[in-house]
Amino acid sequence: MKRNIVIAAVTAAALIGGGTATALATTGDDTGSARQTADTRLSGDDVRDDQDGADDRDDDAARVSSSDVTAPEAIASALKHTSGTAVSAELDDEDDSAKVVWKVDVLSGDNTWHSVSVDPSSGKVLGSHADDEDDTAQVRATLKGSSVTAEEAAKAAADKGVVTSVDLDEDGKNKSWEAETRTSGGAEQDWKIDLKTGKVTADRSDAQDDAAADDQD
């Protein structure tokens, strides 16, 4: 009687232990599956990120190829329409549409900002509207004593490739014009243009960022 009770207890313990082992094994399998699923998901995200980057580069290339009007020409056209000082110009989509235009920011004499849209095929001004900016005083201070205009900066950077944007960098110690160019092969590069001499140099901070990104990869 007692022996039978002991055997029953041992059997129950074995069943319980086996059940526990099975549960643990199942838990281990689930963890492995979850980890594998996560790894697969991350790999898929990386592929999508790479594809998104490639799509962005293709879009940028399409913008450049669709423009017959250069950055200096777009700036000249904008200033003919709206008098003032050109502070930036960029080849970009118009209001989230598929249409690509030159967007030129002009600061007028009464400190009113104007965003002028220029057709990249004909150079015709498509329209303009007033913009609100809060860095007018800083822009004025940066341009004080400058002898190089945005148009001249774009012309200087054109020796490095097709200029897709030019902008005034009024932050930090080394104030300058900044320009982005694209070569025929599709490579992008940022440049700094001296406000007084018009000298073009590679944007070292941009090069350092690229090097850091390569190191992380």
Side-chain angles (χ1 to χ4, degrees):
M1 180 84 178
K2 291 182 180 179
R3 185 174 178 277
N4 290 337
I5 293 174
V6 171
I7 293 173
V10 171
T11 302
L15 289 174
I16 293 172
T20 303
T22 302
L24 290 174
T26 302
T27 303
D29 290 344
D30 289 345
T31 303
S33 298
R35 186 180 299 111
Q36 183 177 4
T37 301
D39 291 342
T40 302
R41 187 182 300 114
L42 288 173
S43 298
D45 291 342
D46 291 341
V47 171
R48 281 191 291 273
D49 289 342
D50 290 343
Q51 184 61 48
D52 290 342
D55 291 342
D56 289 342
R57 289 190 291 273
D58 290 342
D59 290 343
D60 291 342
R63 291 189 185 102
V64 174
S65 62
S66 66
S67 178
D68 296 323
V69 176
T70 65
E73 292 170 342
I75 294 171
S77 181
L79 291 177
K80 187 176 180 180
H81 178 273
T82 304
S83 61
T85 302
V87 179
S88 70
E90 181 181 12
L91 189 62
D92 200 2
D93 296 338
E94 183 179 33
D95 300 328
D96 297 327
S97 68
K99 186 175 183 179
V100 176
V101 298
W102 279 105
K103 292 181 180 179
V104 183
D105 289 334
V106 178
L107 178 59
S108 64
D110 61 356
N111 288 335
T112 300
W113 287 88
H114 301 270
S115 179
V116 184
S117 298
V118 179
D119 190 294
S121 299
S122 65
K124 179 181 178 180
V125 172
L126 301 174
S128 67
H129 63 269
D131 266 349
D132 293 328
E133 299 287 348
D134 57 3
D135 59 346
T136 302
Q138 193 172 0
V139 168
R140 291 290 190 197
T142 301
L143 291 174
K144 186 177 181 180
S146 171
S147 56
V148 178
T149 65
E151 183 179 354
E152 292 168 340
K155 288 180 179 178
D159 290 337
K160 307 297 184 180
V162 178
V163 178
T164 56
S165 71
V166 60
D167 191 17
L168 181 66
D169 179 14
E170 69 270 21
D171 298 324
K173 294 195 310 181
N174 300 321
K175 298 176 176 57
S176 64
W177 290 107
E178 290 184 334
E180 183 180 274
T181 62
R182 179 178 285 272
T183 64
S184 57
E188 294 179 356
Q189 178 65 56
D190 290 340
W191 307 90
K192 288 184 175 294
I193 300 93
D194 191 275
L195 292 170
K196 294 184 178 181
T197 66
K199 182 180 179 180
V200 180
T201 56
D203 188 342
R204 288 180 295 178
S205 61
D206 181 64
Q208 290 169 354
D209 290 342
D210 289 343
D214 291 340
D215 291 340
Q216 290 178 355
D217 292 340

